[in-house]
């Protein structure tokens, strides 16, 4: 079955880069997503990548996909205190419309 | 352009009761999915509605049911509430006929069972 794993915690200093990692098991994944959740809020879509791509950049965000190793990462450049939140990796497999989420990585940005 | 809206924002119920949660999709979206997010966990898929029918379902018991209306809004109903149903319930909408339109989420309804 589908399994998406993330490390639970990450702390970085303001201005540094953050790298949040995710591994997944389903080789039929078509799209992989990153969502951000702030306290008391829902999920905000940050970016997504199609499984035939290696990299996608969107302003301060860079997504890297290693399909062979089933590894996905999100790099946030020049991390700010407003980036403190929980970040979820999610996958969608071929033929399905639902998303499978990891347990989330809590990013803490230290001023 | 209104995003996904959910109501109510918070709800307290007791064991055995029934609850109805509501969702209005983002403008232009026709597909609604519901997720349950327990404390400290990632969201888990409950089911998805399109054209007023349940199209896909996750691993949730029949106590969880839903409905979609002609205006694409949706309801999630949970019967015979258990303590373990306490969670944040998230609604997500998307546009089915566009290839891989991502799902956009509302802020959720936090359900507490006493």
């Amino acid at each position: 079955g589908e399994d998406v794993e993330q490390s639970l915690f990450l702390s970085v200093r303001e201005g540094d880069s953050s790298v949040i990692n995710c591994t997944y098991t389903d080789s039929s994944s078509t799209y992989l997503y990153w969502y951000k959740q702030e306290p008391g809020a829902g999920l905000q879509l940050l970016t997504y990548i199609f499984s035939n791509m290696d990299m996608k950049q969107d302003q301060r965000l860079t997504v890297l996909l290693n399909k062979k190793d089933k590894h996905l990462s999100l790099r946030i450049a020049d991390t700010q205190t407003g980036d403190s939140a929980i970040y979820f990796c999610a996958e969608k497999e071929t033929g399905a419309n639902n998303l499978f989420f990891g347990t989330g990585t809590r990013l803490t940005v230290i001023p | 352009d209104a995003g996904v809206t959910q109501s109510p924002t918070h709800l307290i119920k007791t064991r055995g009761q029934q609850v109805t949660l509501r969702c209005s999709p983002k403008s232009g979206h026709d597909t609604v999915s519901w997720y349950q997010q327990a404390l400290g966990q990632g969201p888990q898929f409950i089911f998805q509605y399109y054209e007023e029918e349940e199209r896909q379902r996750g691993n949730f018991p029949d106590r969880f049911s839903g409905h979609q209306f002609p205006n694409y809004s949706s309801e999630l109903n949970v019967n015979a509430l258990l303590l373990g149903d306490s969670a944040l319930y998230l609604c997500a909408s998307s546009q089915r006929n566009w290839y891989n339109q991502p799902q956009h989420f509302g802020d959720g309804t936090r359900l507490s069972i006493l």
Side-chain angles (χ1 to χ4, degrees), chain A residues 9-20 36 38 60 76-87 105-111:
Chain A
F9 301 99
L10 176 66
S11 290
V12 299
R13 293 210 172 271
E14 190 175 15
D16 288 350
S17 292
S18 308
V19 179
I20 303 170
K36 175 184 179 183
E38 297 184 70
R60 292 192 297 126
I76 306 173
D78 187 24
T79 313
Q80 302 297 308
T81 54
D83 294 324
S84 292
I86 301 176
Y87 290 80
T105 298
R106 182 180 294 275
L107 173 65
T108 301
V109 181
I110 304 164

Side-chain angles (χ1 to χ4, degrees), chain A residues 12-62:
Chain A
V12 299
R13 293 210 172 271
E14 190 175 15
D16 288 350
S17 292
S18 308
V19 179
I20 303 170
N21 294 301
C22 168
T23 57
Y24 59 98
T25 57
D26 194 337
S27 58
S28 68
S29 295
T30 54
Y31 284 87
L32 295 131
Y33 303 82
W34 285 103
Y35 284 89
K36 175 184 179 183
Q37 187 174 38
E38 297 184 70
L43 274 66
Q44 174 193 350
L45 175 68
L46 291 177
T47 186
Y48 60 100
I49 189 168
F50 186 45
S51 57
N52 70 350
M53 297 170 63
D54 297 325
M55 185 183 88
K56 180 178 180 182
Q57 188 154 3
D58 184 1
Q59 299 182 337
R60 292 192 297 126
L61 305 179
T62 303

Side-chain angles (χ1 to χ4, degrees), chain B residues 12-30:
Chain B
I12 299 174
K13 292 285 187 179
T14 56
R15 281 179 297 173
Q17 285 189 311
Q18 178 264 342
V19 70
T20 297
L21 310 182
R22 295 177 176 82
C23 171
S24 291
K26 182 178 165 70
S27 178
H29 287 185
D30 56 9

Side-chain angles (χ1 to χ4, degrees), chain B residues 21-112:
Chain B
L21 310 182
R22 295 177 176 82
C23 171
S24 291
K26 182 178 165 70
S27 178
H29 287 185
D30 56 9
T31 302
V32 173
S33 303
W34 287 93
Y35 292 80
Q36 180 195 64
Q37 186 180 18
L39 198 61
Q41 301 295 317
Q44 287 196 303
F45 175 72
I46 303 174
F47 44 53
Q48 183 180 81
Y49 276 82
Y50 172 67
E51 289 185 335
E52 303 178 47
E53 288 190 19
E54 183 182 298
R55 298 295 178 170
Q56 196 170 342
R57 188 178 183 95
N59 189 25
F60 279 80
D62 292 345
R63 298 187 297 109
F64 289 77
S65 63
H67 190 78
Q68 186 180 34
F69 299 93
N71 67 352
Y72 308 121
S73 66
S74 176
E75 288 182 349
L76 164 65
N77 301 293
V78 188
N79 294 323
L81 287 166
L82 304 173
L83 291 178
D85 295 332
S86 293
L88 180 67
Y89 288 84
L90 294 162
C91 171
S93 72
S94 56
Q95 198 171 27
R96 191 177 183 92
N97 289 331
W98 289 87
Y99 186 64
N100 188 55
Q101 286 300 298
Q103 295 184 16
H104 294 259
F105 284 79
D107 284 339
T109 294
R110 184 161 298 282
L111 176 63
S112 299

